[in-house]
Amino acid sequence: DPVLILDDISHSYHRGLPTQVDVLRGASLEMGPGELIALVAPSGAGKSTLLHVAGLLDRQDSGSVSIKGQDTWNLSDDKRTGIRRDTVGFVYQFHHLLPEFSAVENVVLPQLANAVPERDAIDYARQLLDTVGLGHRYDHRPAELSGGEQQRVAFCRALANRPAILLADEPTGNLDPTTSDQVFDALLTLVRETGLSALIATHNAELAARMDRTVKLEEGVLVSV
Ligand code: ADP
Ligand code: ADP
């Protein structure tokens, strides 16, 4: 069964705008378990909007978002927040790590917030950091890490509570091409090893080609390419 179904999603912005902007106009997508999908689109086409709707950060105007078989439309904001916390991991272009905490601590803290015992949280944080090649950086703070390393820690943090779905918005968009390739490899390894399903927005055709399939956001709908 699909872990994520977007069915005929529409979303517009109007607040404070002279004319309404119809960003999504009937976007549909089914993502299977363990599937890795590249999302490509020109800047401004609505990738972030789509990822926010898919991850229950925004409500669509119409259409449905089902996560692990549950339609989320009629749920309260609290319920939606609960599903998001238990099921969805987000990664952005910028790492948003907490500067005063070490790499391990940044991956441990979300687990403690989810009532995982500290010992288990630390073990799992180290395991994730090992997977992305940061076994020697556990105790470094973000400022002591390179840009690529910071982003790899952010991936681990996004996966700390074992989400079923990863939504990533240009996760290597801030890095130089060589670093970007390495960091992307780390992300793919992490996704494959944890059995996650992932929808990853990227401008980079070579990176997109390394995923299972690619969908393009065009005129507000998703088309397979
Ligand atoms: P992308 O991530 O593909 O660059 P976005 O989803 O961020 O695209 O934005 C799509 C369009 O919607 C853009 O034209 C943007 O200006 C507009 N937009 C995004 N967020 C808002 C908002 N909160 N209010 C008004 N317009 C917005
Ligand atoms: P990059 O080549 O990616 O820009 P840097 O030159 O910034 O990386 O850093 C090289 C290595 O040194 C990185 O692996 C990083 O973890 C480590 N490093 C950088 N700054 C510090 C610091 N202040 N304390 C400890 N280690 C650091």
Side-chain angles (χ1 to χ4, degrees), residues 13-15 17 21 23 41-50 169 217:
Y13 293 106
H14 23 79
R15 218 173 347 166
L17 300 175
V21 182
V23 178
S43 187
K47 273 179 291 146
S48 305
T49 303
L50 183 82
D169 198 348
L217 184 57

Side-chain angles (χ1 to χ4, degrees), residues 31-160:
M31 184 159 67
E35 200 175 21
L36 190 44
I37 303 178
L39 171 63
V40 299
S43 187
K47 273 179 291 146
S48 305
T49 303
L50 183 82
L51 292 170
H52 283 176
V53 167
L56 310 184
L57 285 167
D58 276 342
R59 263 185 213 266
Q60 66 276 25
D61 297 333
S62 65
S64 73
V65 177
S66 298
I67 293 186
K68 291 170 99 179
Q70 179 165 32
D71 187 349
T72 57
W73 179 251
N74 283 320
L75 301 178
S76 66
D77 287 346
D78 280 357
K79 278 253 165 55
R80 287 163 58 90
T81 301
I83 292 176
R84 183 168 66 241
R85 202 183 44 223
D86 294 341
T87 318
V88 184
F90 286 97
V91 176
Y92 299 95
Q93 210 173 78
F94 181 73
H95 59 79
H96 299 294
L97 296 170
L98 297 170
E100 65 275 40
F101 292 100
S102 70
V104 163
E105 288 166 341
N106 267 283
V107 185
V108 161
L109 288 170
Q111 299 180 72
L112 298 186
N114 249 11
V116 175
E118 187 172 345
R119 191 68 257 161
D120 297 344
I122 292 171
D123 285 348
Y124 193 53
R126 288 179 173 164
Q127 188 187 319
L128 289 169
L129 290 167
D130 291 348
T131 302
V132 298
L134 292 181
H136 56 314
R137 298 284 185 236
Y138 291 161
D139 300 323
H140 285 56
R141 291 183 190 189
E144 300 167 338
L145 298 170
S146 72
E149 289 172 330
Q150 291 167 349
Q151 201 59 356
R152 281 186 271 165
V153 176
F155 299 161
C156 295
R157 185 195 44 192
L159 270 57

